[in-house]
Amino acid sequence: MKILLVEDDKMHADFLHEIVENALPECNEILLARDGREGEELARAHKITAIVMDLRMKEQNGIEAARLIWARCPETRILFWSNYSDEAYLRGIANIVPGEATYGYVLKTATEERLRLALRAVLIEAQIVVDREVHQIQNRQMRSRSALTEFEYTILLDIALGLPDKAIATRRKLSLRTVQNRLLSLYDKLDVGALDQNEMGIVLNKRARAVSNAIARKIINREGLSSAEKELQAWLSRRSAKNALPPNP
Amino acid sequence: MKILLVEDDKMHADFLHEIVENALPECNEILLARDGREGEELARAHKITAIVMDLRMKEQNGIEAARLIWARCPETRILFWSNYSDEAYLRGIANIVPGEATYGYVLKTATEERLRLALRAVLIEAQIVVDREVHQIQNRQMRSRSALTEFEYTILLDIALGLPDKAIATRRKLSLRTVQNRLLSLYDKLDVGALDQNEMGIVLNKRARAVSNAIARKIINREGLSSAEKELQAWLSRRSAKNALPPNP
DNA sequence: AAGGGTGTTGCGGGAACCCGCAAAGCGGGT
DNA sequence: ACCCGCTTTGCGGGTTCCCGCAACACCCTT
């Protein structure tokens, strides 16, 4: 059995290597990749189906790498091992897990014992394991009043990228007014209430406020923004390709 | 001689502890803090003047902690030890270094030898040491066309927080039109050229675009936004306090 | 002293944003 | 069948944003 570790911090990689060696005696080969791109290539080249993956890496982040890997090989088992329990990462992972895939999420602050258990459970037994702390955050954010629906979340990314209402409407196939209604509820959930915080004068720009609040609350992050940006660019070029034809006979 | 380590990742903290022990035999007491707040308290309580500080930490980030420490005791020597060489962090540090202060900046990816040298140079010899890699990035960003002036940088934070033009004008004591001109040059530098990227139709919201581009390029980050937000709230309350009096006799 | 560059300010207008009001569509319960 | 609640959509208008045009001040060069 071969295992791939994807981790760009040398110290954590060494530590992980040692733990894996001890916890998984059935593993006879441990590969190491230092960023998402390399990880994805190694996984493909060596047909690896058991991976431990860091999320935040220089070249390509773990979510993007996992998406690509699962796209080719959905039965790959991936244990995410990360410092972060931001909503942005959780949502990012939730969006790419193929449904029948096996994965786990363990925080780097967890004890060695918990990490060992998760390694065996996910990579050997094909269980789903999510760190209790992460799961709590997931739940809390899901039920609190400020939980964003998928719709609100995508619209949030759209405005963060700078799409005007009309463009969002055409992109999401909604009417202009509906988009604005969604924005209304988004503003509500993100506490962008105009006059609430600053008792006197000065009404703030709701769009910008929503985005900065979302960033402050870790609902969105740089990685999520970047991948949303890529999708946007793809959509734009598809769109301009279509629009380039009609005017001609 | 006492040294304070501020680092929230246990593994890195252990490693750092060992290196410091070896590299600085004149040090007879090593304290450890797990976040910025604790670090600041320890530094004050023990009157420590030699600190190694991580930047990204849970409770309070290193920049804020350093600012508070230097505000009370400008001769404190601080070696920043971090994974990141984002412009946002560099600018953050540049903004709080008291000018006569001693500091250093070493990346966690540097060799142990470089770290040892920096430790001695900064904490013992009171030199200024900046990792070459960091320095290069600093330089590149300073001279590239897209280098932001201080003015542009503050206005960028202002719009990210959602301040409307008029509010920025009063806050920064400028006319409305001047603020808009600054925005123009900001848009230019951040390549928010409206029709350039998307050949057909769809003009994007420049404000939002500027912010998301700046985030993508790591010119601003969550920490910077949060501290800007605090300043904004302070300004707002100062302002409403003033405005609360005049109308009365 | 004249000219060119840069930064600041005013004015005006087209587009986008924010939102209250109101009319439909669509489910689910009695 | 009826009503109630929720979402979607249109309309209108007050506000903000974006920016071209133009005037003025300041500094630096020649």
Side-chain angles (χ1 to χ4, degrees), chain B residues 167-175 178-179 182 235 242:
Chain B
I168 301 180
T170 65
R171 182 176 186 195
R172 305 301 179 194
K173 308 215 165 123
L174 296 168
S175 86
T178 303
V179 171
R182 294 240 159 105
W235 179 75
K242 254 187 277 183

Side-chain angles (χ1 to χ4, degrees), chain B residues 189-231:
Chain B
K189 292 198 180 169
L190 291 175
D191 299 318
V192 183
L195 308 181
D196 51 358
Q197 342 200 21
N198 48 356
E199 317 151 16
M200 287 290 297
I202 299 188
V203 180
L204 296 140
N205 179 327
K206 316 232 167 172
R207 260 160 192 259
R209 208 97 246 295
V211 173
S212 71
N213 275 4
I215 289 176
R217 297 185 190 183
K218 301 187 181 178
I219 293 171
I220 58 179
N221 57 15
R222 204 184 81 87
E223 285 85 354
L225 267 181
S226 296
S227 57
E229 169 76 28
K230 274 185 216 155
E231 287 172 31

Side-chain angles (χ1 to χ4, degrees), chain B residues 96-240:
Chain B
I96 61 157
V97 174
E100 76 277 18
T102 300
Y103 78 102
Y105 195 140
V106 176
L107 290 175
K108 285 189 178 172
T109 54
T111 62
E112 295 188 16
E113 185 54 22
R114 264 205 273 174
L115 175 56
R116 256 191 294 270
L117 283 177
L119 279 168
R120 291 208 67 81
V122 173
L123 303 185
I124 307 289
E125 310 293 341
Q127 310 252 37
I128 309 292
V129 175
V130 176
D131 212 310
R132 176 185 283 109
E133 195 183 329
V134 173
H135 206 255
Q136 278 175 357
I137 290 179
Q138 222 169 11
N139 276 344
R140 191 180 330 136
Q141 280 170 338
M142 286 312 180
R143 75 172 99 272
S144 76
R145 189 189 59 82
S146 72
L148 266 52
T149 68
E150 280 313 306
F151 268 157
E152 287 158 350
Y153 183 69
T154 59
I155 217 179
L156 170 61
L157 285 176
D158 282 344
I159 66 169
L161 292 178
L163 282 169
D165 298 7
K166 198 160 55 162
I168 301 180
T170 65
R171 182 176 186 195
R172 305 301 179 194
K173 308 215 165 123
L174 296 168
S175 86
L176 185 61
R177 196 60 183 82
T178 303
V179 171
Q180 294 175 326
N181 273 336
R182 294 240 159 105
L183 279 174
L184 232 50
S185 69
L186 182 63
Y187 295 153
D188 180 41
K189 292 198 180 169
L190 291 175
D191 299 318
V192 183
L195 308 181
D196 51 358
Q197 342 200 21
N198 48 356
E199 317 151 16
M200 287 290 297
I202 299 188
V203 180
L204 296 140
N205 179 327
K206 316 232 167 172
R207 260 160 192 259
R209 208 97 246 295
V211 173
S212 71
N213 275 4
I215 289 176
R217 297 185 190 183
K218 301 187 181 178
I219 293 171
I220 58 179
N221 57 15
R222 204 184 81 87
E223 285 85 354
L225 267 181
S226 296
S227 57
E229 169 76 28
K230 274 185 216 155
E231 287 172 31
L232 171 60
Q233 293 302 341
W235 179 75
L236 281 175
S237 56
R238 242 182 301 131
R239 199 155 168 296
S240 65

